[in-house]
Amino acid sequence: MATALDARRSERTFAPIPEALLGALLWHVARTKESAPSPFGFQIEYRPSPSAGAIHPIHLVIQLADEDSWARYNPQEHSLDLLANGNRLLQPLLDYSGQVMPQGGGRLILFVAEPGKTAAKYQNPESLVWRDAGVLQSSIALVAAALGLNYCLLGITGNPWVAQLSNQGKLQGVGVAILGKKP
């Protein structure tokens, strides 16, 4: 553990990441270990990364290896669910993030909040959603370091492009990162 903590730093060069390493990172950070019914209309979940009320309102949307497709990580099934129209909707974000930092062979990870989930339990849920995003981003940074991967948060939220992923306008971008292998 100390080795991963000492190795953690933002890296700015990226090679393509093999699917097995991406799967290992997602498994160690975001999979559902256990779930239980809740009175809020959705399951509460216990995952490796903590969340206020075990609600987990942050979704991970990942650029796929072909760079023209996007998928949402499904923590219950430990799978990637392809997003319809993801490339069309997210191409402007891809262009913008490239101006912030070239991604080389890395993949973008979008942190997509569903604030209504947290609002179902808590009054004034905004800070809890942002804290959940930060905890998840930090967990990914530590696990990426442990797996020998390069990871860097870009300092942008992904809005307004992420908000377009839902017709109901219930999604909010709360971060963008690049993940890849060390070149």
Side-chain angles (χ1 to χ4, degrees), residues 93 96-97 100 153-159 161 174-177:
L93 173 59
Y96 181 71
S97 67
V100 175
L153 287 162
L154 298 187
I156 59 177
T157 64
N159 264 340
W161 306 285
V174 290
V176 178

Side-chain angles (χ1 to χ4, degrees), residues 22-98:
L22 177 61
L25 178 124
L26 294 169
W27 176 261
H28 290 298
V29 170
R31 78 183 185 283
T32 299
K33 298 190 306 184
E34 191 179 330
S35 63
S38 78
F40 309 114
F42 52 83
Q43 297 275 338
I44 57 170
E45 299 179 63
Y46 303 99
R47 299 182 188 176
S49 297
S51 171
I55 293 172
H56 297 283
I58 310 301
H59 303 279
L60 297 174
V61 174
I62 300 163
Q63 183 183 29
L64 298 181
D66 66 10
E67 298 183 10
D68 288 333
S69 300
W70 295 81
R72 183 188 71 83
Y73 177 62
N74 180 333
Q76 296 84 17
E77 302 293 326
H78 184 59
S79 63
L80 294 173
D81 297 337
L82 193 63
L83 293 181
N85 299 318
N87 189 47
R88 181 181 59 78
L89 295 172
L90 295 173
Q91 186 61 47
L93 173 59
L94 188 61
D95 296 340
Y96 181 71
S97 67

Side-chain angles (χ1 to χ4, degrees), residues 11-23:
E11 298 288 351
R12 290 168 176 78
T13 56
F14 309 93
I17 181 173
E19 296 297 322
L21 276 176
L22 177 61

Side-chain angles (χ1 to χ4, degrees), residues 103-123:
Q103 71 183 81
R107 297 187 195 194
L108 288 183
I109 298 177
L110 311 179
F111 297 86
V112 178
E114 189 177 353
K117 287 180 76 174
T118 306
K121 181 173 183 177
Y122 297 104
Q123 290 184 341

